[in-house]
Amino acid sequence: MAIGGVTIFATLGYFALYSNKKPEASAKDVAKVTAGVAKPGNTRPR
């Protein structure tokens, strides 16, 4: 049940960030930010 809760929380967080993303950001950039492995190059415009 704990794994299911974490999965649901991560999914909701991803879609919340994806719905508010900038037009120049890709879905891969959003996934990196959600996972916490993004570097400044992933969060700044190209």
Side-chain angles (χ1 to χ4, degrees):
M1 192 175 340
I3 293 172
V6 169
T7 303
I8 290 171
F9 181 75
T11 303
L12 289 174
Y14 173 80
F15 284 119
L17 288 173
Y18 188 78
S19 67
N20 293 323
K21 76 176 184 72
K22 303 263 185 200
E24 61 270 4
S26 69
K28 189 175 182 181
D29 294 337
V30 175
K32 286 181 180 180
V33 171
T34 303
V37 296
K39 296 186 168 122
N42 300 116
T43 59
R44 303 245 192 286
R46 290 175 175 76

